[in-house]
Amino acid sequence: MSSVPVVRVALPTPLRRLFDYRAGPPGATGGEIEPGMRVRVPFGRQRLIGVATGTAAGSELPEERLKSVLERLDPQPIFDPATLALLAWAADYYHHPIGEVLAAALPKALRLGAAIDAIEERWVISPAGLEAYARGEPKRGPRQRQLLAALAQHRPEVTSSSPQPPGLTAAELDEKLESWRDAARALIARGWVIALERPTVATAAPMPAIADAGHGPEPNEEQHAAIERISGSLAAFGGFVLHGVTGSGKTEVYLRVVERVLRLGRSALVLVPEIGLTPQLVGRFRQRFAVPMAVLHSALTDHERLLAWREAFSGRARIVLGTRSAVFAPAQGLGVIIVDEEHDTSFKQHEGGFRYSARDLAVVRAQRADVPVVLGSATPALETLQNVATGRYSRLVLSRRAAHAVPPRLSLVDLRSTVVHAGISTPALQAIERHLAAGGQVLVFLNRRGYAPTLLCTACGWIAPCRDCDARLTVHRSIARLRCHHCGADTALPERCPQCGFAVKTVGQGTERIEETLATLFPNVTCIRLDRDVVRRRGDMEEAMRRMASGEARILVGTQMVTKGHDFPNVTLVVVLNADQGFFSTDFRAPERLAQTIVQVAGRAGRGEKAGEVLIQTEFPDHPLLRSLLAEGYEGFSRAALTERSQASWPPFSRLAAVRDSAKTAEAALAFLVEARKAAEELRAERGGGSDPRAPGRGVRLLGPAPAAMAKRAGRYHAQLLLESADRASLHRFLDAWLPALESLQSGRRVRWALDVDPIDIF
Ligand code: ADP
Ligand code: ZN
Ligand code: ZN
């Protein structure tokens, strides 16, 4: 115990606690340390960057063991109190160490110590340098002389009123001179040149005027009602589900709401799924508003991400548009949060330590900021619909397509009773022919890239396996490779069986093969493909879009990538090649995903004036959920699916958490979770046995442990233990009590484990 004033610091370590440090004299560390500022501190033999979360008058630690903060990194808090509180809430809810949560909320460059303000370096000539220059120095070194001459032209004026600061920046020098940096170093050493640093971004930039939103289409009645409802509650929290069929003009609603928010001088945060952040969407926002916008997504370099973050932090950007982690973006003066395609699973971080749902955190952030949140989708998640049913959210419906487009007709093709040609049934082929002849375009959807999922030897039965996964290698024929879609393993495509030497053959189909088949069957039309194998660079997707839009390409074959957000007004037929993966999964959410995918793909058809047709190939045409989807649309499907969930007491009728682990052997992976389960049962016996309804473990069911459906992945074995509870509070009380036991169980074992609260993949 000591009564020295300390700073409490959250450090990026797996330890679930804060660390105390002496503040140190402000003169030595760079100033007073306030909550939300980054600090550099000694930690063991390392130095770490953490975030001060508060101060205290004393510490549990004896005075002699308290170390001092080495350096304060920020002149002002990088996290304001509201954000700090939100992140503390998230650490609590997801049971994840606060230091790692705060780190996850920052771009990498800031975690490594980059400045919150952009710093601009300038090189300025010194008085001694001016005298030397007048004397005709330096005599040797033409570079040095050129540099000094350039800087002499931009000398500091003694009585200057010029707004131009003295000296030149690196960018300006790069333009004038080659390899000037060595020369600059030499001149600095002689005292003739001074290197200065100054922040370039003034915080609290003036609000730029917003462009008139006049050039959007006039909202229809339903859009108008939605816009008014949301805009009518801009001063307080409200959860709105914008349930609009594909093409109903949800984006137009977002744009109008954002416009109102901007007019109030506030900013908007727009979250989109990984795959939904297309230049098309960014373009629609840029076109509409002449305000600075920060765009944050995973394809940015660390530096670009830092620049976008600074745009938001400085308050310059009035719209922040980004994927998952943008939910933490420092939007200033927030007025609304929009989550587009809220059902999309990419909003859930399901790797690494901190597994959060950006959609759920967006709702919490909006609640705390007292602003509305809009969850938009044509196929809202069942959780979201249940929140509507219980009155937590209000639903705003856009039931019609905005631009006079007719909804598509859905029908099934029974794969058991038709001839199938390389994965495409005769009725589907006939339909493709008919639509092409009528001048339409066709979209063929298959959620599997590559040429074929299996390479087989018919002589000995050998199947090309992945060495490191419980999976087969996928054939990629155009590049003659075999690839594992789970671990990335990549080998040459053999022509002969490595076991018996006979010829091998491919079985099944991926998008590459479907493209080949269609190109052969319809040689007079251009068929293109859209999947992760063809979309490698940023422009590839646009190129495919352009070829479809211009009508040059008539058939588009693709994976999930084609389901999001693109407008193909002339597509009149959509073929879903395989609807069946969804029904026979161990994951109770698989049917929901399947229904969402079908509805989203179907939404690509008939967006123009022509009616669309959707064919769904299946071996199980009588599946009740598929039937309800066809007969009553997503609405009917979700009702049936929610009834099933309620009967099985799965979410949203219960709460789940999963502990997942992996180890070098299947036994070790399972053993850790067996022990974890024992610890959980002991905890229940110890503390939950009495009549205290608040005891941890009350009402918590343990399911498993069991090996994951694909137990071996990338050379490690995976297992899972599920926890289920009817109510959230008892689950969380239980986790609080149980996690320390789990942590101590790990010591001496070679397992990696992670807790996933509200998991969305159950395997
Ligand atoms: P969603 O996001 O719901 O799929 P979009 O916002 O992309 O739909 O709108 C689909 C198309 O309809 C777009 O081309 C859009 O410009 C157009 N649109 C939207 N609202 C209207 C409207 N009120 N009148 C005419 N066209 C509209
Ligand atoms: Zn063989
Ligand atoms: Zn593999």
Side-chain angles (χ1 to χ4, degrees):
M1 286 293 279
S2 55
S3 53
V4 189
V6 291
V7 184
R8 294 251 142 93
V9 180
L11 291 172
T13 75
L15 300 169
R16 294 167 191 278
R17 44 170 291 210
L18 298 170
F19 298 86
D20 289 351
Y21 289 89
R22 285 171 199 258
T29 55
E32 284 305 331
I33 297 165
E34 293 170 33
M37 289 176 174
R38 286 172 303 162
V39 290
R40 199 188 305 272
V41 296
F43 186 76
R45 261 175 285 163
Q46 318 167 56
R47 292 169 160 212
L48 294 180
I49 293 175
V51 175
T53 60
T55 51
S59 172
E60 302 272 288
L61 281 181
E63 197 169 332
E64 64 278 10
R65 289 194 47 206
L66 275 176
K67 293 183 184 161
S68 296
V69 170
L70 299 170
E71 188 190 354
R72 182 190 88 161
L73 273 75
D74 299 316
Q76 68 186 94
I78 195 166
F79 292 117
D80 59 27
T83 311
L84 216 47
L86 172 74
L87 292 167
W89 183 92
D92 211 39
Y93 182 84
Y94 292 105
H95 296 266
H96 198 71
I98 179 74
E100 290 191 349
V101 170
L102 293 179
L106 289 175
K108 186 169 170 206
L110 289 166
R111 292 203 292 271
L112 296 177
I116 47 178
D117 279 336
I119 300 290
E120 181 186 75
E121 287 177 291
R122 295 190 82 84
W123 282 262
V124 182
I125 194 164
S126 69
L130 272 174
E131 283 171 20
Y133 179 64
R135 289 197 305 269
E137 297 223 46
K139 298 269 185 313
R140 257 175 258 177
R143 281 269 144 68
Q144 291 184 31
R145 202 156 48 233
Q146 283 169 353
L147 178 59
L148 208 58
L151 294 179
Q153 280 180 15
H154 296 267
R155 75 187 67 173
E157 308 282 341
V158 182
T159 55
S160 169
S161 58
S162 140
Q164 202 54 35
L168 291 166
T169 64
E172 288 164 340
L173 284 167
D174 281 340
E175 260 177 41
K176 289 181 198 290
L177 296 169
E178 275 174 38
S179 39
W180 52 271
R181 279 185 188 268
D182 282 339
R185 252 190 298 277
L187 293 174
I188 289 168
R190 300 174 83 163
W192 292 349
V193 166
I194 306 164
L196 295 177
E197 285 189 347
R198 34 171 261 139
T200 54
V201 182
T203 42
M207 236 301 270
I210 71 165
D212 227 2
H215 43 268
E218 200 46 46
N220 63 31
E221 225 168 274
E222 287 181 327
Q223 285 172 319
H224 184 75
I227 295 160
E228 289 306 316
R229 268 300 294 286
I230 302 163
S231 313
S233 105
L234 288 183
F237 171 74
F240 296 99
V241 177
L242 185 62
H243 188 173
V245 302
T246 327
S248 59
K250 291 184 289 296
T251 312
E252 190 57 37
V253 173
Y254 305 151
L255 289 167
R256 300 271 171 168
V257 169
V258 168
E259 186 198 338
R260 305 267 182 108
V261 166
L262 295 178
R263 285 197 189 287
L264 292 174
R266 303 176 96 181
S267 70
L269 174 60
V270 184
L271 300 180
V272 296
E274 200 56 66
I275 209 169
L277 186 52
T278 57
Q280 260 181 341
L281 181 75
V282 176
R284 280 174 81 175
F285 274 86
R286 282 208 203 282
Q287 220 171 31
R288 195 62 71 87
F289 307 111
V291 300
M293 207 163 107
V295 180
L296 288 153
H297 56 83
S298 61
L300 296 180
T301 64
D302 290 339
H303 186 65
E304 288 169 328
R305 188 185 303 278
L306 174 65
L307 296 184
W309 185 94
R310 282 174 177 158
E311 285 286 283
F313 184 78
S314 69
R316 245 174 64 75
R318 309 305 300 167
I319 302 173
V320 179
L321 183 61
T323 50
R324 189 173 56 225
S325 66
V327 70
F328 304 117
Q332 305 293 329
L334 192 61
V336 69
I337 304 181
I338 291 164
V339 184
D340 188 30
E341 308 288 1
E342 64 87 32
H343 65 280
D344 196 282
T345 54
S346 73
F347 285 123
K348 177 75 196 257
Q349 171 65 271
H350 50 254
E351 277 163 12
F354 179 35
R355 303 181 178 204
Y356 62 94
S357 155
R359 176 197 59 205
D360 296 350
L361 282 180
V363 175
V364 178
R365 184 169 177 182
Q367 237 160 5
R368 295 176 154 259
D370 228 4
V371 299
V373 61
V374 182
L375 308 178
S377 177
T379 53
L382 294 182
E383 273 86 354
T384 302
L385 290 177
Q386 185 59 17
N387 277 327
V388 170
T390 58
R392 226 182 127 210
Y393 299 156
S394 324
R395 177 155 72 158
L396 308 168
V397 177
L398 306 182
S399 60
R400 288 187 307 274
R401 295 188 165 205
H404 307 290
V406 196
R409 257 176 300 117
L410 272 67
S411 51
L412 297 180
V413 176
D414 185 348
L415 283 176
R416 296 165 310 179
S417 61
T418 136
V419 177
V420 180
H421 184 91
I424 313 172
S425 65
T426 307
L429 283 176
Q430 287 165 346
I432 294 174
E433 200 159 10
R434 202 168 60 241
H435 281 265
L436 289 177
Q441 284 174 310
V442 177
L443 197 158
V444 179
F445 171 77
L446 177 63
N447 216 2
R448 188 191 283 143
R449 64 199 168 84
Y451 187 81
T454 305
L455 185 69
L456 170 81
C457 169
T458 43
C460 75
W462 174 82
I463 286 174
C466 176
R467 266 193 332 191
D468 295 328
C469 304
D470 288 336
R472 294 168 181 181
L473 293 174
T474 300
V475 179
H476 288 259
R477 195 143 110 180
S478 58
I479 48 168
R481 308 294 296 177
L482 277 174
R483 281 189 176 159
C484 175
H485 289 186
H486 306 281
C487 71
D490 175 288
T491 59
L493 180 64
E495 279 175 21
R496 315 215 140 256
C497 172
Q499 208 162 269
C500 73
F502 271 88
V504 285
K505 72 178 249 196
T506 56
V507 180
Q509 37 274 323
T511 45
E512 195 184 322
R513 184 177 212 167
I514 297 296
E515 181 194 17
E516 182 192 272
T517 305
L518 291 171
T520 322
L521 292 173
F522 302 100
N524 299 323
V525 302
T526 303
C527 175
I528 59 173
R529 173 159 61 98
L530 197 58
D531 57 30
R532 258 202 296 138
D533 295 325
V534 283
V535 176
R536 302 219 162 269
R537 288 178 310 272
R538 283 191 204 179
D540 292 342
M541 174 101 97
E542 284 60 70
E543 176 61 11
M545 296 301 136
R546 193 196 56 71
R547 295 180 70 191
M548 278 299 277
S550 71
E552 175 204 336
R554 304 283 303 283
I555 305 178
L556 175 65
V557 178
T559 54
Q560 209 72 18
M561 213 167 247
V562 304
T563 64
K564 310 277 162 73
H566 318 294
D567 250 336
F568 301 120
N570 206 30
V571 167
T572 53
L573 172 68
V574 171
V575 182
V576 178
L577 285 183
N578 188 348
D580 294 337
Q581 301 113 323
F583 293 129
F584 301 95
S585 169
T586 45
D587 189 341
F588 68 88
R589 273 184 238 266
E592 175 184 354
R593 301 262 163 73
L594 175 66
Q596 285 163 344
T597 302
I598 291 178
V599 174
Q600 298 278 350
V601 189
R604 303 300 121 199
R607 292 196 115 190
E609 310 278 316
K610 298 176 202 165
E613 186 180 354
V614 180
L615 289 183
I616 302 162
Q617 299 191 156
T618 174
E619 290 195 24
F620 307 93
D622 298 322
H623 196 289
L625 289 178
L626 197 51
R627 284 267 148 227
S628 66
L629 179 65
L630 249 74
E632 304 167 84
Y634 191 73
E635 205 58 65
F637 164 82
S638 56
R639 238 177 294 124
L642 276 169
T643 308
E644 275 195 1
R645 294 265 187 102
S646 143
Q647 282 159 357
S649 74
W650 284 123
F653 302 95
S654 65
R655 294 286 179 149
L656 285 184
V659 177
R660 305 216 170 90
D661 76 345
S662 72
K664 282 269 162 61
T665 66
E667 295 71 34
L670 223 45
F672 174 72
L673 293 182
V674 167
E675 292 301 316
R677 184 180 170 126
K678 269 192 209 144
E681 280 164 354
E682 274 164 29
L683 192 70
R684 277 203 301 211
E686 233 172 76
R687 302 166 64 177
S691 55
D692 180 6
R694 294 183 51 87
R698 277 262 143 170
V700 175
R701 273 206 297 155
L702 298 162
L703 309 167
M710 186 190 291
K712 189 181 175 196
R713 253 177 301 141
R716 295 182 68 85
Y717 290 83
H718 297 254
Q720 157 179 289
L721 174 62
L722 270 185
L723 287 80
E724 191 224 74
S725 167
D727 80 303
R728 176 175 132 184
S730 45
L731 180 61
H732 284 252
R733 269 199 304 278
F734 178 73
L735 289 173
D736 279 333
W738 185 50
L739 281 173
L742 268 184
E743 266 152 16
S744 57
L745 262 182
Q746 185 179 15
S747 69
R749 288 171 192 268
R750 291 222 159 121
V751 292
R752 293 182 203 145
W753 65 276
L755 173 72
D756 194 346
V757 173
D758 303 332
I760 52 160
D761 297 299
I762 309 294
F763 37 75

